[in-house]
Amino acid sequence: MDLANTFIDWLRPDWFLNLAVVSDDYNRGRYVAGLWMTIKLSVVSIFLSLLVGVLGAAVQGAPSRTLRVAVGLFVAFFRNTPPLVQLYFFYFAIGTVLRITGENGLPQPLISNFGWAIISLSLFAGALNVEIFRAGVEAVPRSTVEAAEALGYTRLQIYTDIVLPLAVRVSLPALGTNLVNLVKTTTLAYAIAVPELLYISAQIWSEDLNVREMMNVLLVSYVGLVAVLVWVLHRWEKALRIPGYGE
Amino acid sequence: MTWTPQQPIVSLKDVHKSFGSVEVLRGISLDVMKGEVICIIGPSGSGKSTLIRCINALNDIQAGSITVEGLEVNDPKLDKLALRRKVGMVFQQYNLFPHKTALQNVMMAPIKVLGQDRAEVENRARALIAKVRLNGKEDAYPGELSGGQQQRVAIARSLAMNPDVMLFDEVTAALDPETVKEVLMTIKDLAADGMTCILVTHEMGFAREIADCIYFTDRGVIVESGPPATFFDNAQDPRTQQFLAQIL
Amino acid sequence: MTMYCLHQKPKVRGHMPVMLPMRLRADGLPLADRLFNLWTLTALVLALAAVLIGPAFAQLATPDERTILTILLEWTPTLAKGFGFNVLISVLSMLIGTIMGVFLGVLQVSQIRPIRQSAWLVTQFFRNSPWLVLLFYCILLIPFQFEVFGVKVPFPGWIKAVIGLSLPVMAYTSEFMRGAILSIPTGQWESAESLGFSRRMTLTNIILPQTVKRVLPSWMNLYAVLTMATPLVSIIGVDDVMALTRAALSAEGRADLLIPMYLYILSWFFLYCYPISSLTRVLERKYSVKL
């Protein structure tokens, strides 16, 4: 049966991870460029999504009802619509409207496809980060805040010295999951032709007709990237671990 | 109005406080002189904790007046920070900052809130930790300390702010019996040094030993008060007698 | 001995005894919860209508052109079919993924070390691979037809897509199951064992039924996430709602249609997924399990 054969083929070691695919200089150069683009997408989006998260969570604790509702709507919208459609909406719909006249007199997009990928990914992941940080802030017991109040801390000091450091610690596991998802979601940039890892790999396999080998290299690359991120987060979590609590 | 040491350092006049429709304090009046130690006792739910939390404005009051060194606590324009520099508070659950070591817990507020010099604060903090008999535990995190040790760090943390009055809110209620004593010893040392202390406590023996005056509260009012000898041996009000009979 | 792999209780990472338990979706979005009521839904529909009708009125001046609203309405039946296809794909992937995932999850708590470890490896691998890459994997590497007893059975793209999407579902379900099984108090295993149940019987009759409640909220949330991933199939050439939308947009070729059309499709997904997430939160609160 074909299915069985295919499956057995998959298990052949030389097919499973045949790095010969990227052994020639040209392809290796492209692969590395794609990997670098994916890393750039990931790092910038992670940074911006964390910023969105912290700001959003701070606003959700703010007295202004209008602001709180606005952030609530933002979160609800971005958490409950497909990230791909969000990306298309930004790139094809908003991007078409946002144009400036270039040097040659023709309208040019104001923001590149890379820029839209960053914006879209940051907002998508940022929406959940808002939730994560808010939950972290709420996990800080009222009594700990009161102790700081009794010592004469101002609201801002309480937030920066007590609440935030504790909130970050409880939020880390959930945050890690979300950031791993964000790295995986960078593949969507393929759809708007950002030359990231998946896009480059697709180019290589359609030129060299080495789908299977390239595909395996690709999967392993992503699992590797995620592993690096998980490792970094783990180190961070460990560095922040307070002696006397938990493991 | 300027405050002079001849006047009460803490003075409550007809204080009323409700949570929603539940009236927790129904006209409390009491005066504490500088250097005095008073103990507030009474059945749970009688408003004892609320009472002392009102003194440093953790809870606001609906009517009446609370003054600390002449500072009106119930004034909406009150500088809460100024008040809290005068009044230290220790909680039942210690409420140490879990992400800071014992020494850092003690040092944080003087540096951050009072803007004092770090080196000077550190010397004082180390001395305070020694005073609460925790030498060697400076670099331990709260999670690595026993309840009694944490509570003593919390006392040192409050003292680091050089308060004029200390509030103790059932500070031994969450402790193991064997560590209660070490915390009570610390408080006793403080009282002996002349610190003004207001305690909410269930430790009757301790109250009797240390207090200048005992206040018995029930259902939001002060039922009876007096020096320990009179209070414990010669209680007048039937409610006090009943309470003491249950507890002693 | 029998229970040795179960002694390690799953630790709630990040939790500290001095802190309150972190409840992400449990009490999360109380605001959004309040948002999902008749009043806000009406407001949402009105807002959407305004977005759609607004430009339509603006275009009354050029009567030869159809209004945006007309165009959207004309395309609605086609798009609805496409959306139905997305729902079908999501349901099938969920079904296949869940069945495989429960199985894989049980293997993850197997007493036999190699089985436990390989199940763990498979779970981690598929959990950490991008969905889109898995879709490519399936679409390009599964042959387009199979020969069963000499009969050629075609294997269309959308079925490959279903398989591709079921892989991450499997991995996530496997993780949920592992967590849930380990969260059942050891006493349950011990008492079952003392009653003479075999391990298999204990698992199927006592442990697994108890995991349902614990897994349900995460599992439903996974379904919402999966549904939101279905437009990915348009990238690999399946004619889902996203592919149809883009086809409609290029057929109309009108720049002013872009924003309304994308918002229109986004709102469909929102109206489908939002109630699921809300229900998830309600269930989570109701079944909130103390780990």
Side-chain angles (χ1 to χ4, degrees), chain B residues 45-119:
Chain B
S46 63
K48 310 183 295 290
S49 288
T50 311
L51 175 62
I52 72 167
R53 289 164 59 91
C54 289
I55 296 176
N56 72 344
L58 279 180
N59 289 348
D60 54 353
I61 59 173
Q62 270 83 41
S65 148
I66 301 177
T67 57
V68 176
E69 292 186 7
L71 206 64
E72 175 55 64
V73 176
N74 196 22
D75 181 354
K77 293 194 294 287
L78 164 81
D79 178 3
K80 282 190 184 173
L81 302 188
L83 170 73
R84 286 170 181 166
R85 277 163 217 167
K86 297 188 201 300
V87 184
M89 179 157 188
V90 185
F91 299 84
Q92 179 178 348
Q93 291 294 344
Y94 348 123
N95 300 344
L96 292 179
F97 306 131
H99 58 308
K100 300 283 175 185
T101 63
L103 185 65
Q104 287 167 341
N105 261 286
V106 179
M107 287 171 61
M108 256 175 102
I111 293 174
K112 300 262 179 188
V113 177
L114 303 179
Q116 292 173 346
D117 174 62
R118 171 175 285 273

Side-chain angles (χ1 to χ4, degrees), chain A residues 37 90 94 114 123 130 147 159 191 201-203 212 226 229:
Chain A
M37 180 57 92
F90 281 117
I94 307 276
F114 176 73
L123 291 178
V130 171
Y159 196 72
S201 305
Q203 273 184 346
R212 196 181 317 242
V226 167
L229 177 63

